[in-house]
Amino acid sequence: MTRYVALGSSMAAGPGIPPTAPGSPLLAMRSQRNYPHLVAQRLGLDLVDVTYSGATTAHVLGESQHGEPPQVDALDGSESLVTVTIGGNDVGYVPMLCAAALPAPLRWLPPLRGMRDAGARERELAAVAPKLIEVGRVVRARAPLARVLFVDYLTLLPPQGSAPPLSAGDTDLGRRIAAELERLTAAAAEGTGAAVVCAGQASREHHPWSAQPWTNLPSRFPVPIPGHTAPLHPNAEGMRAVANLVVAHVEERPGT
């Protein structure tokens, strides 16, 4: 079996990394050089990439996204590998950081201030835990012969210190969200018989403010610019690094 299905959000899709995957929906912002494509090339697998920017666990499990079917519908039971990168959009992780990077007058507008509300983020983190478990459960049921790998998010903030233009409070909240997402992703994998690829842990020294970043700095005016990788998302080097981690897991841990 050589079928590989990639599920997930923009952290797997690779918005702005050229070239765009042929035939992919415009709003998916799916790169031909995202980690699923690189993994498939390295391992000689037949890729079905349904990653989609902005996806939540609901879009993986049962909701249409911009007219596309739920991502799990791509599974037909013949898969040898399934990767899943999801959860951040459920808790507003990157939107929170993007709002925090805006100039001060904009940060305090009511909708944007709400994105930076610690209480709301904590409630959403609590709510996403069972959703991640359900993703693992459904994927395992639909692809019973596959190796299922949850791939968590690359590090988006320095482990310590400042992250200009973010305030200290927003930076601390972002770190809290990231740490809890990593924990919940690992728990969902363990609880459903899947495995986890720890991209966050592997990229601690490759945050956007580092000398060799695997993800991009925030923008003071974070609007999509054609031909440019998205702020606070993986760059091409980051996607190669994640692909290396996935390939290493597959080759070094047969059957897990």
Side-chain angles (χ1 to χ4, degrees):
M1 297 187 302
T2 61
R3 192 169 195 261
Y4 163 31
V5 175
L7 313 175
S9 65
S10 56
M11 292 298 177
I17 301 174
T20 300
S24 61
L26 178 64
L27 294 177
M29 294 185 276
R30 191 182 299 150
S31 172
Q32 194 174 357
R33 293 165 61 204
N34 63 14
Y35 83 73
H37 279 79
L38 299 177
V39 167
Q41 291 166 11
R42 291 269 300 276
L43 296 178
L45 299 175
D46 299 315
L47 175 65
V48 178
D49 185 358
V50 292
T51 61
Y52 208 110
S53 295
T56 65
T57 54
H59 296 124
V60 171
L61 291 169
E63 289 187 9
S64 170
Q65 186 176 9
H66 303 297
E68 296 297 312
Q71 293 185 20
V72 293
D73 285 3
L75 301 171
D76 67 9
S78 68
E79 294 77 22
S80 61
L81 177 66
V82 180
T83 56
V84 185
T85 298
I86 204 69
N89 290 322
D90 291 70
V91 301
Y93 178 31
V94 171
M96 174 262 156
L97 294 177
C98 287
L102 293 171
L106 296 178
R107 286 201 304 267
W108 293 103
L109 292 173
L112 298 175
R113 187 170 66 245
M115 292 180 187
R116 297 164 51 236
D117 179 79
R121 302 289 77 76
E122 291 289 346
R123 290 190 293 274
E124 288 166 351
L125 282 166
V128 80
K131 297 174 185 177
L132 289 168
I133 292 170
E134 182 67 1
V135 168
R137 188 193 66 78
V138 170
V139 171
R140 293 290 295 155
R142 294 202 180 199
L145 303 178
R147 178 179 310 200
V148 179
L149 302 179
F150 279 86
V151 182
D152 64 20
Y153 285 17
L154 288 168
T155 296
L156 298 181
L157 292 167
Q160 297 88 30
S162 63
L166 278 64
S167 70
D170 287 328
T171 302
D172 287 344
L173 175 58
R175 289 185 183 123
R176 159 68 180 158
I177 295 169
E180 188 65 0
L181 274 175
E182 286 185 25
R183 187 186 73 79
L184 294 174
T185 299
E190 182 178 3
T192 58
V196 63
V197 175
C198 300
Q201 180 178 338
S203 58
R204 294 287 187 258
E205 302 306 317
H206 296 279
H207 58 81
W209 289 262
S210 70
Q212 293 182 307
W214 290 352
T215 45
N216 297 316
L217 285 164
S219 170
R220 297 290 277 174
F221 300 96
V223 294
I225 301 174
H228 290 72
T229 51
L232 293 166
H233 278 76
N235 56 29
E237 187 172 354
M239 281 298 183
R240 287 193 295 271
V242 176
N244 289 340
L245 293 170
V246 173
V247 170
H249 186 101
V250 170
E251 292 181 338
E252 295 172 8
R253 298 175 177 84
T256 64

